[in-house]
């Protein structure tokens, strides 16, 4: 531990020198495009809805492709590991999924990708993944690549023109975050095509690899660069040294506002939005983007509320400090006074419990919840009655979302012991139960006859929007 602390201090000392001339490389990795294509075919919550619909239209009735997608969904890609020196409320849990995406981005062929990830997945699963990707390439070429490769390359050339300004923006933003970055490590921006001029696109960061969906006929290249820098901001937030992360978390903990935790939950996305889609857009174009900056009312609203303060800090070469945090909490409360009971807020940072018994089954549940709610910080436990899961139900301080879709009798019996609020309530299948427990934690239980009823319960929550504190049964 002492060695680690010494290295962290060294990193902080050399960080300003490293904050210069960071490279931005814009590239197209066909292996990543094929992988993203497969993810979209199984409706992964990180993929574009527009791309999902496009694939559905082009593969309707194709049983062989449907089987290919099903086989892909059964491969476990997410093995997790923990960095315990970082605060529990930050991204302490990391995943092999990031390593796989990084390998995809840096590979030119499927064979090269295979060689890059040897040892990450079991060989049997690696062989299945490579075989599926090779088979999917035929579909990808016909459905997307043939008509859109040239358009995507034109988009790459247009975006590359902003590489120097991206580097300049990095220098200013990195100073604000007080992050540690290595000068020789560029950001690699991997583009994948979404056919058309309008629609939904997505982007995800994986260390220095930024995966960005590009509409093939779009013309707002400054806006797309804003997305690139938005994802870069997530990476810089993750790369703050551990001692600084603990200090920031302490600032939120010391603030007694009832909105403190909610502001903390949205801090990462709020900062990425105001910096990437707000400040950087103006830095590149000379004016603020008049359109929404993010497709989520809370993230968009929080980002826009933060803008004047961000402009002041960036102009003054100031880093995030306690005064910034306190003002951010105050801004969140003033902007969203009803947020304390909003399901969309409550599920932003959530522990999810279910009896899913495999990686694909867990993904199915997570994608189902992610279809309706933004899951910025989530943790999954299975089975519900596992001793570790039960301990988390007792002690975890985030929202507790319990999805009971099997093993009903034993699970409900144990939950009534844990939560006296449920002890005298008649349990009715396909019902939403929600309340604040004695620790003032939001607890939400979805009692579904089976997993097929989960979607309707989540949709009901989305429609109702707010938790009704006057009753435990929400949808009766």
């Amino acid at each position: 531990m002492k060695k680690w602390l010494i290295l962290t201090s060294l990193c902080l000392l050399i960080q300003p020198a490293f904050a210069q001339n960071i490279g931005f490389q814009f590239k197209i990795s066909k292996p990543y495009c094929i992988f993203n294509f497969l993810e979209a075919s199984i409706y992964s919550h990180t993929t574009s809805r527009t791309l999902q619909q496009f694939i559905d239209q082009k593969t309707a009735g194709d049983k062989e492709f449907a089987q290919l997608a099903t086989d892909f969904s059964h491969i476990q890609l997410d093995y997790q590991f923990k960095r315990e020196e970082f605060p529990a409320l930050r991204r302490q849990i990391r995943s092999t999924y990031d390593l796989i995406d990084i390998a995809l981005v840096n590979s030119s062929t499927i064979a090269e990708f295979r060689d890059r990830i040897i040892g990450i997945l079991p060989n049997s699963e690696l062989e299945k993944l490579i075989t599926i990707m090779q088979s999917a390439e035929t579909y990808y070429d016909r459905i997307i690549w043939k008509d859109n490769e040239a358009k995507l390359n034109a988009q790459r050339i247009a975006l590359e023109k902003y590489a120097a300004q991206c580097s300049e923006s990095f220098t200013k933003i990195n100073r604000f975050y007080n992050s540690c970055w290595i000068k020789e490590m560029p950001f690699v921006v991997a583009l994948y095509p979404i056919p058309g001029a309008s629609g939904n696109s997505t982007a995800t960061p994986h260390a220095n690899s930024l995966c960005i969906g590009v509409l093939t006929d779009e013309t707002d290249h400054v806006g797309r660069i804003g997305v690139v820098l938005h994802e870069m901001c997530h990476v810089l937030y993750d790369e703050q040294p551990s001692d600084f992360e603990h200090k920031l978390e302490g600032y939120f903990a010391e603030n007694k506002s009832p909105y403190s935790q909610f502001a903390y939950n949205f801090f990462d996305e709020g900062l990425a939005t105001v910096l990437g889609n707000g400040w950087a857009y103006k830095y590149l174009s000379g004016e603020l983007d008049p359109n929404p900056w993010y497709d989520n009312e809370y993230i968009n609203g929080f980002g826009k509320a933060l803008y004047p303060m961000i402009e002041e800090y960036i102009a003054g070469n100031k880093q995030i400090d306690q005064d910034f945090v306190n003002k951010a909490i105050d801004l969140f409360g003033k902007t969203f006074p009803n947020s304390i009971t909003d399901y969309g807020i409550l599920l932003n940072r959530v522990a999810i419990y279910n009896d899913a018994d495999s990686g694909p089954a867990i993904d199915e549940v997570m994608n189902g919840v992610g279809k309706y709610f933004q899951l910025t910080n989530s943790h999954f436990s299975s089975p519900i009655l596992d001793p570790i899961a039960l301990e988390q139900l007792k002690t975890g301080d985030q929202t507790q979302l319990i999805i009971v879709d099997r093993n009903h009798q034993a699970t409900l019996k144990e939950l009534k012991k844990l939560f006296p609020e449920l002890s005298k309530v008649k349990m009715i299948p396909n019902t939403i139960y929600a309340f604040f427990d004695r620790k003032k934690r939001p607890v939400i239980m979805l009692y579904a006859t089976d997993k097929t009823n989960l979607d309707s319960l989540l949709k009901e929550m989305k429609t109702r929007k707010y938790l009704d504190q006057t009753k435990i049964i929400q949808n009766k």
Side-chain angles (χ1 to χ4, degrees):
M1 179 59 72
K2 290 182 179 178
K3 289 183 178 179
W4 182 87
L5 288 172
I6 291 170
L7 287 172
T8 298
S9 299
L10 176 61
C11 185
L12 285 171
L13 286 170
I14 62 179
Q15 176 264 331
F18 276 9
Q20 304 297 319
N21 302 320
I22 297 299
F24 279 76
Q25 301 173 2
F26 292 81
K27 68 174 296 185
I28 299 168
S29 163
K30 192 177 181 186
Y32 177 78
C33 291
I34 295 168
F35 184 84
N36 181 270
F37 172 72
L38 284 164
E39 288 199 304
S41 73
I42 62 171
Y43 309 107
S44 170
H45 70 275
T46 61
T47 59
S48 160
R49 294 188 299 273
T50 301
L51 183 58
Q52 292 169 9
Q53 293 164 5
F54 185 85
I55 295 169
D56 282 349
Q57 292 169 1
K58 297 295 184 179
T59 61
D62 190 325
K63 293 182 180 179
E64 289 186 9
F65 182 78
Q67 185 60 53
L68 199 65
T70 298
D71 292 343
F72 176 72
S73 72
H74 290 162
I75 297 176
Q76 182 172 343
L77 303 169
D78 182 8
Y79 296 88
Q80 297 184 343
F81 55 97
K82 190 174 184 179
R83 296 178 174 180
E84 295 187 353
E85 72 271 22
F86 290 90
L89 299 185
R90 294 289 291 267
R91 202 164 76 92
Q92 196 180 54
I93 303 295
R94 304 299 172 100
S95 168
T96 53
Y97 181 84
D98 287 320
L99 304 180
I100 290 169
D101 269 328
I102 293 167
L104 284 161
V105 166
N106 289 282
S107 298
S108 299
T109 66
I110 294 174
E112 182 183 352
F113 165 64
R114 176 201 61 209
D115 294 344
R116 283 179 178 272
I117 67 164
I118 290 173
I120 294 178
L121 299 179
N123 283 345
S124 58
E125 295 304 290
L126 175 57
E127 183 179 17
K128 290 177 188 176
L129 176 60
I130 297 304
T131 300
I132 290 169
M133 289 181 65
Q134 290 170 337
S135 298
E137 185 171 15
T138 302
Y139 285 94
Y140 190 71
D141 286 345
R142 175 173 57 83
I143 294 170
I144 295 179
W145 198 246
K146 180 182 177 182
D147 295 330
N148 294 285
E149 180 185 6
K151 290 183 177 181
L152 182 63
N153 196 51
Q155 293 288 345
R156 177 188 61 79
I157 292 170
L159 294 173
E160 276 182 339
K161 296 176 182 178
Y162 295 92
Q165 289 169 290
C166 286
S167 181
E168 293 166 5
S169 298
F170 165 86
T171 301
K172 297 175 182 295
I173 293 172
N174 186 55
R175 184 180 296 114
F176 169 75
Y177 273 110
N178 189 34
S179 295
C180 183
W181 199 256
I182 300 171
K183 180 180 178 181
E184 290 77 15
M185 185 166 64
F187 282 97
V188 181
V189 184
L191 309 177
Y192 66 89
I194 304 169
S198 63
N200 165 259
S201 65
T202 58
T204 55
H206 309 280
N208 72 321
S209 298
L210 311 177
C211 300
I212 310 294
V214 175
L215 291 156
T216 55
D217 298 311
E218 71 182 12
T219 58
D220 182 9
H221 299 121
V222 171
R224 190 57 57 196
I225 289 295
V227 174
V228 170
L229 295 176
H230 175 116
E231 299 307 319
M232 179 198 75
C233 287
H234 287 310
V235 174
L236 295 180
Y237 189 69
D238 275 349
E239 292 300 334
Q240 291 171 325
S242 174
D243 54 352
F244 189 68
E245 288 193 14
H246 281 285
K247 185 183 294 185
L248 272 183
E249 187 165 292
Y251 295 157
F252 282 95
E254 292 167 17
N255 189 294
K256 302 306 179 184
S257 167
Y259 299 97
S260 175
Q261 187 60 62
F262 297 104
Y264 191 26
N265 295 348
F266 280 97
F267 199 55
D268 182 13
E269 280 291 357
L271 289 179
T273 298
V274 64
L275 286 162
N277 310 94
W279 178 85
Y281 187 98
K282 184 178 179 181
Y283 182 74
L284 295 171
S285 70
E287 59 185 10
L288 282 175
D289 186 353
N291 300 305
W293 296 351
Y294 198 99
D295 187 22
N296 176 289
E297 64 173 307
Y298 287 101
I299 295 169
N300 181 63
F302 193 27
K304 291 195 172 186
L306 287 170
Y307 181 79
M309 191 161 57
I310 281 289
E311 195 169 51
E312 174 194 337
Y313 268 67
I314 295 290
N317 292 323
K318 297 170 64 177
Q319 294 178 341
I320 302 174
D321 55 21
Q322 188 163 19
D323 188 53
F324 184 94
V325 168
N326 289 336
K327 288 178 179 177
I329 294 168
D330 184 58
L331 284 170
F332 190 91
K334 289 178 178 177
T335 307
F336 304 112
N338 297 322
S339 57
I340 292 173
T341 57
D342 189 324
Y343 286 124
I345 291 284
L346 299 180
L347 292 185
N348 184 255
R349 177 173 168 266
V350 60
I352 301 175
Y353 305 84
N354 182 250
D355 288 328
D357 52 9
S358 68
I362 292 172
D363 289 341
E364 184 179 358
V365 174
M366 294 295 286
N367 288 336
V369 180
K371 177 181 175 182
Y372 294 101
F373 299 101
Q374 177 91 19
L375 304 178
T376 300
N377 187 324
S378 60
H379 173 75
F380 196 99
S381 293
S382 177
I384 299 171
L385 298 183
D386 182 88
I388 295 176
L390 292 176
E391 182 62 27
Q392 173 69 20
L393 273 168
K394 292 178 185 177
T395 61
D397 59 357
Q398 65 269 67
T399 298
Q400 306 291 297
L401 175 62
I402 312 157
I403 300 173
V404 184
D405 57 10
R406 68 188 84 173
N407 195 24
H408 300 94
Q409 188 173 353
T411 303
L412 294 175
K413 182 179 179 181
E414 189 63 34
L415 291 177
K416 286 190 173 186
K417 292 180 184 176
L418 283 174
F419 302 108
E421 295 86 354
L422 295 173
S423 61
K424 296 182 180 180
V425 178
K426 182 180 180 181
M427 294 296 167
I428 305 168
N430 303 319
T431 300
I432 302 166
Y433 299 87
F435 55 92
F436 287 87
D437 69 1
R438 290 169 296 178
K439 296 181 179 180
K440 298 183 179 180
R441 302 179 305 169
V443 178
I444 304 165
M445 184 180 77
L446 306 182
Y447 177 17
T449 303
D450 54 50
K451 66 179 183 179
T452 61
N453 299 109
L454 176 59
D455 186 79
S456 62
L457 292 175
L458 290 165
K459 185 177 181 180
E460 177 74 14
M461 287 174 62
K462 183 74 172 179
T463 300
R464 288 183 176 270
K465 191 173 174 62
Y466 295 105
L467 185 158
D468 186 345
Q469 298 187 74
T470 67
K471 58 184 181 180
I472 291 178
I473 297 178
Q474 301 289 302
N475 58 332
K476 297 293 180 183

